[in-house]
Amino acid sequence: MLVCAGTGEEFSLEDAIAAGALVTRLSDDQRLSDSANDHRSLYEQVGDNLTEWLRQTQNGKQLRKIGKDPDITWCARLSVFDLVVQLKGEEVIGSTE
């Protein structure tokens, strides 16, 4: 299950795009909810323009305003770590599977 945090009580486009990226990489298409399909479709629409999409979100614009554009570029990287983690109870367990 993926839960998008949002910003305050607002929907955040960058969360939806990130969820779509995860759904695209981790999902079994037979078991996707309508919401998961929507997020995946959004991510597929973004395509190779991920950094620019993130720059145009409400939070992206705020980050750019305070000089944090390099942070957006850093966050737009995909599949850069060979690490899978899982939550067991209250403990985060990592592996390099």
Side-chain angles (χ1 to χ4, degrees), residues 2 4 11 13-47 50 53:
L2 298 174
C4 297
F11 170 84
L13 185 57
E14 64 273 10
D15 286 357
I17 294 169
L22 288 170
V23 167
T24 298
R25 287 165 173 71
L26 303 175
S27 70
D28 173 359
D29 288 345
Q30 302 298 319
R31 300 177 58 203
L32 289 181
S33 67
D34 288 345
S35 178
N37 274 317
D38 283 347
H39 287 71
R40 180 178 63 184
S41 293
L42 174 62
Y43 171 71
E44 289 170 352
Q45 179 182 349
V46 167
L50 180 57
W53 272 73

Side-chain angles (χ1 to χ4, degrees), residues 45 90 92-93 96:
Q45 179 182 349
E90 294 188 22
V92 176
I93 299 171
T96 55

